[in-house]
Amino acid sequence: MDENESMDDRKQIFLQAMAGSAVSPPPIWLMRQAGRYLPEYRKIRAQHSDFIRFCLNSDAAAEVTLQPIRRYGFDASIVFADILLIPYGLGQKVWFKEGEGPKLKPLGVDDIQSLSIERAKQVLGPVSETIVKVRADLPGTCSLIGFAGSPWTVATYMIEGGGSRDRFKTRALAWRMPEVFDTLMDVLVNASVWYLKAQADAGADVLKLFDSWADGLPDPIFDRVIIRPTGMIIDRLRELGVTQPIIGFPRGAGSQAVRYARQTGITALALDHGTDTGWARRALPEDLTIQGQLDPAVLHAGGAVLDTEVDRLLSAWRGRPYVFNLGHGIHPDTPPEHVTQLIERVRSFEQRAETSKQEQTSWRVV
Ligand code: CP3
């Protein structure tokens, strides 16, 4: 084996898993690994009152992207930004209220035509600068992920004016005015293609599409607002020569995830913690890379239940291309030492499997 190849083997296990290898123990990173559970994040965040401006300050964003890498040595980093930067860039009013989550001035049907991709290109430039800065300081063992929200999830925030329990207004618009709704989807597809390509060009190794509100959609709507725009983004990126692996996260899609995986062109599928693991193993293609499934609440709990749950997932996905991660973002109240425990548990998996094999053998010999 040539020297570079063996170095790469050790260095980029996340990329190997993305390429379809069953790496064991698997690579690990966590959704929202940069965030309020870290004291070093809270410290720098306290110096920036406006969250959007914080995300668009490439020095601050690069620093907080690197914080969890320095503290824990994750196998992948994710650029510090937010899915709501696209609506902001397109010209919608977006702000964050402490303790209340994101707020947007709800988009009316007549506002769609005033959304401007040219404006978004100007506004979102700093995200590519963040990627360049992170890249320069990242250890060779760590990959860098760029991301965007998927058109459906971003549209729900734009239309509802924030998070919402059942996205009723957005669903009603999709059924009632399909042409108008699809025009909005097309704007978001175009903006996302530009944004993801810019991140790939700046040095992202992998791209991810967050569809956090993919649950509760009837099949015809799921196909129209989730599969179609996701597939369009991926096709367009490939046409533009973007070769990076692309992770899709259709949270809450349940069995619709099978169609999503087969029809969108994603490289890897991120699964939430509510998906039946045994079913997913059987229903999803064996060569498809799977990511996720640990309940953020069990990471918050820590202790023996965390170890047991980590082992369940490692055993269940053993032999398949798998990336260890949560089923959704880390909860802000999570004690940082639980993340240390989690990483140690994941990385000692093969050792433990070996020890238990030896114990069984010696017991049999006796
Ligand atoms: O470390 C990382 O994962 C990278 C950064 C990242 C953030 N948001 C930073 C952030 C990523 C990947 C996101 C994605 C995102 N943003 C999603 C998709 C993933 C998911 O969680 O479903 C969504 C739906 C959003 C929209 C959004 N941004 C919400 C709902 C909130 C409020 C959450 C809260 O707990 O208050 C945000 C704000 C936000 N984005 C924070 C962070 C670290 C917290 C804000 C703060 O520090 O004050």
Side-chain angles (χ1 to χ4, degrees), residues 205-242:
D205 301 302
V206 171
L207 301 172
K208 180 166 176 183
L209 281 163
F210 284 91
D211 227 335
S212 305
W213 301 118
D215 58 318
L217 297 174
D219 289 337
I221 292 289
F222 188 88
D223 290 351
R224 225 182 85 212
V225 306
I226 306 273
I227 293 186
R228 179 180 163 275
T230 305
M232 280 171 71
I233 291 174
I234 296 172
D235 287 351
R236 295 263 296 283
L237 286 170
R238 297 308 183 218
E239 280 163 29
L240 290 168
V242 173

Side-chain angles (χ1 to χ4, degrees), residues 112 173-174 177-189 224-225 228-229 232:
I112 296 176
L173 185 70
M177 303 178 86
E179 276 113 50
V180 169
F181 193 80
D182 289 349
T183 305
L184 175 60
M185 291 281 103
D186 290 346
V187 171
L188 292 170
V189 165
R224 225 182 85 212
V225 306
R228 179 180 163 275
M232 280 171 71

Side-chain angles (χ1 to χ4, degrees), residues 259-273:
R259 248 182 12 258
Y260 176 94
R262 290 185 192 281
Q263 295 175 13
T264 56
I266 51 151
T267 320
L269 181 72
L271 287 179
D272 57 74
H273 42 278

Side-chain angles (χ1 to χ4, degrees), residues 29-37 41-42 45 48-49 51 54-55 64-65 68 77-84 96-102 145 147-149 153 157 162-163 208-213 249 251 328-332:
W29 70 279
L30 301 179
M31 283 189 257
R32 292 273 177 93
Q33 63 192 17
R36 286 168 299 182
Y37 76 108
Y41 173 86
R42 292 197 299 270
R45 175 76 175 89
H48 302 259
S49 57
F51 181 69
F54 180 48
C55 290
V64 296
T65 303
S77 59
I78 180 160
V79 62
F80 189 83
D82 198 84
I83 67 163
L84 300 178
F96 284 81
K97 252 186 155 169
E98 180 74 54
E100 284 184 40
I145 304 168
F147 74 92
T153 288
Y157 283 97
K208 180 166 176 183
L209 281 163
F210 284 91
D211 227 335
S212 305
W213 301 118
F249 178 43
R251 191 171 75 89
H328 200 189
I330 192 166
H331 191 279

Side-chain angles (χ1 to χ4, degrees), residues 60-215:
E63 171 56 24
V64 296
T65 303
L66 289 161
Q67 284 176 343
I69 308 305
R70 290 195 202 107
R71 188 190 264 256
Y72 299 114
F74 285 115
D75 298 302
S77 59
I78 180 160
V79 62
F80 189 83
D82 198 84
I83 67 163
L84 300 178
L85 291 183
I86 285 200
Y88 175 78
L90 289 169
Q92 192 170 6
K93 190 158 184 265
V94 183
W95 68 103
F96 284 81
K97 252 186 155 169
E98 180 74 54
E100 284 184 40
K103 302 273 175 216
L104 298 86
K105 180 169 178 279
L107 191 79
V109 167
D110 298 336
D111 301 326
I112 296 176
Q113 56 180 26
S114 59
L115 299 172
S116 159
I117 294 190
E118 289 314 310
R119 185 181 183 277
K121 290 181 183 175
Q122 306 271 307
V123 171
L124 300 177
V127 177
S128 298
E129 285 166 29
T130 306
I131 288 182
V132 171
K133 288 176 184 169
V134 171
R135 180 91 268 171
D137 278 351
L138 213 55
T141 46
C142 189
S143 311
L144 176 52
I145 304 168
F147 74 92
S150 296
W152 166 255
T153 288
V154 173
T156 67
Y157 283 97
M158 294 175 85
I159 291 166
E160 310 282 341
S164 80
R165 198 173 55 85
D166 60 3
R167 281 79 64 195
F168 191 84
K169 259 173 90 179
T170 320
R171 281 196 343 267
L173 185 70
W175 283 117
R176 192 160 47 83
M177 303 178 86
E179 276 113 50
V180 169
F181 193 80
D182 289 349
T183 305
L184 175 60
M185 291 281 103
D186 290 346
V187 171
L188 292 170
V189 165
N190 291 338
S192 306
V193 167
W194 171 82
Y195 186 50
L196 290 167
K197 174 152 194 321
Q199 294 182 58
D201 290 347
D205 301 302
V206 171
L207 301 172
K208 180 166 176 183
L209 281 163
F210 284 91
D211 227 335
S212 305
W213 301 118
D215 58 318

